[in-house]
Amino acid sequence: MQDAATAHGLAIEIRERPKANSLAEAAELLGILPSGIVKTLVVKRADDTYLFALIPGGRSISWPKLRAVVGVNKLRLPEPELALAATGYERGTIVPIGSSTEWPIFADESIVGRRIAMGAGSHGYSLFVEADDLIAAYGATVADISVPETTRD
């Protein structure tokens, strides 16, 4: 992953961290707010190609918004084995940097201008990067593609 970041002129910081059982716990371990952790979600299109959706903690994909931005009427989260085959990373570690295929990236507009933490390709690590640098390095599309997560009682 470091080689891929360097090839894209991207400065990243990788930190080792203990396993976290929740977003709040991961944020506490990293000393940041939960919204500072960005999930990289692999999304499968009907034509069997993929894209990455970068969604901040505490939010989830807005499927209608993402479909509209991508210009398709069908998207879904793939099974774990398909996500691994598409990216080379296991769920929970996925990051667009160093993915086995450079799928298009769609970043939620709320991450713009922020330093973010995300998966680092291996369990027990987090990657820190300036969101604007990541967006520029990979030509990501920035749009409103998320909604606040609903709380479960």
Side-chain angles (χ1 to χ4, degrees):
M1 178 192 341
Q2 184 65 56
D3 291 343
T6 301
H8 281 86
L10 196 56
I12 62 171
E13 174 192 352
I14 297 175
R15 285 191 207 163
E16 190 171 0
R17 66 163 175 79
K19 179 176 174 22
N21 295 310
S22 68
L23 174 67
E25 185 179 339
E28 186 175 330
L29 290 167
L30 295 170
I32 61 175
L33 294 172
S35 62
I37 297 177
V38 173
K39 302 171 275 194
T40 301
L41 301 173
V42 180
V43 177
K44 188 175 185 294
R45 300 181 207 209
D47 66 1
D48 292 330
T49 62
Y50 297 84
L51 61 90
F52 291 115
L54 304 183
I55 307 294
R59 300 188 70 82
S60 58
I61 291 176
S62 167
W63 291 105
K65 290 177 184 179
L66 184 59
R67 285 192 303 267
V69 171
V70 176
V72 298
N73 58 15
K74 190 172 182 184
L75 293 169
R76 70 177 184 90
L77 294 176
E79 294 74 14
E81 63 275 6
L82 292 178
L84 175 62
T87 66
Y89 296 128
E90 292 180 15
R91 275 207 184 143
T93 71
I94 296 172
V95 62
I97 303 164
S99 173
S100 55
T101 301
E102 282 194 14
W103 301 109
I105 300 170
F106 293 82
D108 189 69
E109 65 187 10
S110 66
I111 71 170
V112 171
R114 302 177 63 196
R115 180 169 172 81
I116 58 171
M118 52 194 333
S122 297
H123 293 287
Y125 294 90
S126 291
L127 175 150
F128 285 79
V129 65
E130 295 295 330
D132 294 358
D133 294 346
L134 176 65
I135 290 164
Y138 282 86
T141 299
V142 176
D144 174 12
I145 58 169
S146 74
V147 293
E149 289 179 349
T150 56
T151 57
R152 296 184 182 115
D153 296 327

